[in-house]
């Protein structure tokens, strides 16, 4: 399989029958339409019309009418224009299908203020205007899941018949080999879509995998690619009769799935500033910014009820704002590396978070830490995940209150963003809690 050349003029690869044209919503989920090739020829220049409120649905696709968007306003359409360079074939589709990422424009032709891509673009521009040039990469973890005899969701057993259920498969070569048909198809698919990875890892959970994309100097593109990577992973799995899931914590006894962001800063010549003279101070200030914005950004890093189950001692997911060198128990890890690759690994976000909002919150924190010359706490030198920091939200409702009241993050994001996000996610969680579950019966009946 070869890489499809992105077509700047939005022409389709030869033989394409349909094109999936979609935006990325506030949950990091693609939403849009499947058009015929002829329909695309008409729509690509004028815009693909659909409801502007598609960007602010909840995780399930349910309209919650945040700030009256999609309800009080009569649910107007917006026009989705193709984002240059992100039109590719969809190799896992049964028919010749292509896909295009759209950017939504309102009636006035301007981008919508609540489009997560625009929110991230503004933070990146603010960083660049102050001479801060980020280089980033995103790591995404996911499970292949199946069902046991009783129909319960379990990690997919390997083809050799093992039933993982509990336990771990960390760095298992056997699990990689067992699922090689899927993993190799996925790797080729990502390459064909211009998403080059640098390897495959079996993660701590059995049936849990991680794919890393190469680092690059465009945080918006990296976030776009993370969403496309999730879509490709789910799509390739489904095409092979499997199911891949980026749910934050699908199994209570097993490792959760994270979205880790590696970030460094480079100078105008592309040289790593953290690894250069004076770089340690800069790196410490960036970490200090992440510590300062941690509590108020939690809802962005962990936007679901499930996501808070990830933060457990001994699961490589920090419950504090600790940082440290070569230490996986901290929130902000400085991986062991040569000066040219000196970077911070931000380990807090869940695999199903919006990569755009996560990236925006991280870059806002770096900008704040450096411009305000903040100082971090002393680095952790031993295991740091045994105790939780008391100031951090430990459930979705507390996190939503914190993002609504965000004093610093609020300056970097649109003024009504905290309220908008909290309205959507609070309604989503309330719907989840409206149900009386079997667990509740076993406790209280
Ligand atoms: N699975 C862990 C998480 O939820 C991270 C494990 C690791 O890659 O260090 O973030
Ligand atoms: Mg990992």
């Amino acid at each position: 399989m070869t890489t499809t050349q992105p077509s700047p003029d939005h022409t389709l690869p030869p033989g394409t029958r349909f094109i999936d044209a979609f935006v990325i919503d506030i949950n990091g989920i693609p939403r849009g339409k499947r058009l015929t090739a002829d329909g695309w020829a008409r729509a690509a220049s004028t815009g693909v019309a659909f409801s502007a409120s598609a960007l602010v649905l909840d995780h399930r696709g349910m309209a919650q009418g945040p700030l009256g968007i999609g309800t009080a306003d009569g649910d107007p359409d917006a026009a989705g224009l193709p984002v240059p360079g992100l039109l590719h074939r969809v190799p896992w589709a049964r028919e010749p299908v292509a896909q295009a990422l759209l950017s939504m424009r309102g009636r006035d032709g301007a981008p919508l203020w609540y489009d997560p891509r625009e929110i991230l673009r503004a933070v990146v521009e603010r960083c660049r205007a102050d001479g801060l040039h980020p280089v980033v990469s995103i790591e995404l973890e996911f499970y292949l899941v199946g069902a046991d005899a009783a129909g319960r969701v379990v990690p997919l057993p390997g083809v050799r018949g093992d039933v993982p259920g509990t336990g771990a498969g960390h760095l298992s070569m056997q699990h990689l080999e067992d699922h090689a048909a899927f993993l190799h198809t996925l790797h080729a698919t990502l390459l064909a879509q211009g998403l080059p990875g640098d390897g495959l890892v079996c993660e701590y959970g059995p049936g849990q995998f991680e794919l890393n994309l190469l680092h690059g100097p465009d945080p918006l593109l990296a976030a776009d690619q993370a969403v496309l990577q999730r879509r490709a992973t789910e799509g390739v799995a489904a095409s092979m009769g499997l199911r891949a899931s980026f749910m934050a914590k699908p199994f209570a006894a097993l490792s959760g799935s994270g979205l880790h962001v590696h970030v460094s800063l480079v100078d105008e010549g592309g040289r790593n500033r953290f690894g250069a003279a004076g770089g340690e101070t800069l790196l410490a200030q960036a970490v200090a910014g992440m510590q300062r914005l941690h509590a108020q950004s939690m809802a962005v890093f962990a936007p679901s009820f499930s996501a808070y189950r990830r933060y457990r001692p001994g699961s490589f997911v920090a419950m504090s704002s600790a940082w440290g060198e070569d230490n996986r128990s901290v929130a902000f890890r400085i991986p062991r590396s040569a000066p040219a690759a000196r970077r911070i690994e931000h380990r807090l976000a869940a695999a199903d978070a919006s990569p755009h909002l996560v990236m925006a919150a991280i870059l806002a924190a770096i900008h704040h830490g450096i411009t305000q010359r903040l100082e971090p706490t002393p680095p952790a030198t031993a295991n740091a995940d045994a105790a939780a920091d008391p100031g951090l939200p430990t459930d979705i409702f507390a996190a939503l209150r914190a993002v609504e009241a965000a004093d610093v993050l609020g300056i970097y994001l649109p003024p009504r963003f905290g309220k908008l996000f909290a309205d959507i996610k609070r309604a989503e969680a309330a719907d989840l809690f409206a149900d009386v579950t079997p667990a509740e019966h076993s406790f209280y009946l």
Side-chain angles (χ1 to χ4, degrees):
M1 222 178 287
T2 51
T3 304
T4 338
Q5 286 309 311
S7 59
D9 57 354
H10 316 308
T11 51
L12 298 177
T16 302
R17 278 194 66 195
F18 297 104
I19 175 151
D20 292 348
F22 52 80
V23 291
I24 297 171
D25 79 4
I26 205 154
N27 310 287
I29 295 175
R31 300 205 189 269
K33 293 181 171 178
R34 180 166 287 193
L35 301 174
T36 62
D38 287 348
W40 176 252
R42 285 191 297 275
S45 51
T46 53
V48 182
F50 54 90
S51 165
S53 65
L55 285 164
V56 291
L57 300 172
D58 75 9
H59 192 91
R60 298 163 297 173
M62 183 84 81
Q64 301 289 2
L67 307 181
I69 301 171
T71 52
D73 56 4
D75 198 18
D77 270 357
L81 295 173
V83 174
L86 287 174
L87 193 159
H88 287 99
R89 265 190 206 288
V90 176
W92 64 86
R94 289 164 213 264
E95 298 276 336
V97 173
Q99 71 180 22
L101 185 56
L102 303 176
S103 164
M104 291 292 254
R105 311 285 150 151
R107 277 203 198 101
D108 55 1
L112 303 174
W113 70 265
Y114 45 82
D115 182 341
R117 299 186 74 255
E118 296 307 317
I119 292 173
L120 173 56
R121 189 197 307 280
V123 177
V124 172
E125 274 169 14
R126 189 158 178 173
C127 287
R128 290 195 178 135
D130 286 326
L132 302 175
H133 302 282
V135 166
V136 302
S137 74
I138 293 179
E139 293 175 3
L140 276 167
E141 297 172 334
F142 65 94
Y143 274 92
L144 286 179
V145 299
D148 68 7
R152 281 180 303 240
V153 179
V154 292
L156 190 69
V159 287
R160 293 171 210 206
D162 58 320
V163 181
T166 58
H170 195 32
L171 298 174
S172 164
M173 301 311 290
Q174 183 192 317
H175 286 297
L176 279 183
E177 190 51 32
D178 284 350
H179 296 296
F182 162 72
L183 292 168
H184 293 177
T185 306
L186 176 58
H187 184 254
T189 299
L190 294 173
L191 255 186
Q193 295 201 323
L195 307 171
D198 67 355
L200 307 163
V201 181
C202 180
E203 259 298 337
Y204 199 82
Q208 188 188 28
F209 299 96
E210 179 179 298
L211 284 163
N212 303 337
L213 297 187
L214 301 178
H215 67 268
D218 184 345
L220 180 56
L221 181 64
D224 287 345
Q225 290 180 332
V227 173
L228 299 180
Q229 185 182 359
R230 286 201 297 226
R231 175 174 146 89
T233 305
E234 290 165 357
V236 169
S239 75
M240 298 176 78
L242 303 171
R243 178 152 186 208
S245 175
F246 292 86
M247 183 175 170
K249 185 83 170 179
F251 309 108
L254 302 179
S255 179
S257 293
L259 183 163
H260 297 182
V261 179
H262 291 251
V263 54
S264 56
L265 294 174
V266 291
D267 64 18
E268 306 282 346
R271 285 170 298 263
N272 187 312
R273 290 179 66 191
F274 289 158
E280 288 313 305
T281 307
L282 203 63
L283 183 143
Q285 289 170 345
V287 167
M290 291 179 183
Q291 292 184 322
R292 172 72 176 82
L293 269 68
H294 184 168
Q296 56 191 263
S297 307
M298 271 303 280
V300 164
F301 302 145
S304 67
F305 173 75
S306 166
Y308 293 83
R309 296 191 195 276
R310 247 180 92 236
Y311 304 96
R312 290 280 177 276
S315 62
F316 305 109
V317 187
M319 301 182 302
S320 75
S321 301
W323 71 295
E325 192 96 22
D326 203 15
N327 183 340
R328 249 186 208 86
S329 69
V330 300
F332 316 115
R333 167 179 176 249
I334 316 303
R336 189 188 298 199
S337 69
R342 189 119 176 108
R343 64 194 186 277
I344 303 168
E345 181 192 20
H346 184 283
R347 299 173 54 83
L348 290 171
D352 57 1
S354 154
H356 296 81
L357 298 178
V358 168
M359 190 71 81
I362 292 173
L363 297 181
I366 291 176
H367 183 274
H368 180 71
I370 291 175
T371 54
Q372 301 303 307
R373 300 176 201 278
L374 301 185
E375 273 184 43
T377 57
T381 50
N383 181 50
D385 80 354
D389 276 354
L392 294 175
T394 54
D395 65 56
I396 182 72
F397 296 106
L400 292 173
R401 284 194 296 277
V403 76
E404 264 181 307
D407 59 344
V408 180
L409 185 65
I411 299 169
Y412 288 86
L413 306 184
R416 288 176 295 163
F417 174 80
K419 169 99 175 87
L420 174 88
F421 194 70
D423 278 2
I424 300 169
K425 292 295 171 177
R426 204 175 273 134
E428 177 186 310
D431 285 353
L432 184 69
F433 282 104
D435 208 11
V436 177
T437 63
E440 203 170 330
H441 279 159
S442 79
F443 267 59
Y444 303 116
L445 193 66

